[in-house]
Amino acid sequence: MVSPDSGDGGHQTLMQSEFRLNAMRDTEQAPRYLACERDFRVRLAARLDEALARVGLKFSMDSVDATRIIIELCESAMQESILSKDPTPSVATSPYAMRTLPLVLQALTMPLNGGK
């Protein structure tokens, strides 16, 4: 699994797209691909839980599901950046990500103490 914004000009995003397409075409590879995706999301969710707790927040839904939403938003922003021929594709400078990611993060989190 790779970061959707690794600073490599979008090459890792392109490779990840190829892996995904290959898994969709090859039913024997699909279960391994899905397991790898799930493992990545679980590990990233744990790190995000830790980071949120440090600032007094937690996800308001299942952490792995929230992480998947965030990953998919970032992947979509990176894909759009690549398709728009941005000379330096990046989620960090994507107008879509800059518009939506803060709102999505706000919607997916709540105070650690449950708002009390």
Side-chain angles (χ1 to χ4, degrees), residues 17-85:
S17 295
E18 291 294 333
F19 291 143
R20 182 178 294 129
L21 287 172
N22 193 42
M24 286 191 279
R25 290 184 194 106
D26 185 343
T27 57
E28 289 182 23
Q29 286 189 17
R32 286 189 303 270
Y33 177 81
L34 288 173
C36 184
E37 285 268 310
R38 173 84 179 146
D39 179 63
F40 175 76
R41 285 192 301 264
V42 167
R43 288 183 291 118
L44 181 57
R47 297 190 105 182
L48 291 175
D49 283 337
E50 292 170 8
L52 287 171
R54 282 194 291 269
V55 295
L57 296 171
K58 66 180 180 178
F59 282 120
S60 57
M61 62 185 297
D62 177 76
S63 296
V64 176
D65 290 338
T67 299
R68 183 176 183 167
I69 291 168
I70 295 165
I71 290 169
E72 290 176 358
L73 188 152
C74 290
E75 286 177 344
S76 178
M78 188 63 170
Q79 290 167 4
E80 183 177 287
S81 186
I82 292 167
L83 290 169
S84 69
K85 304 292 187 204

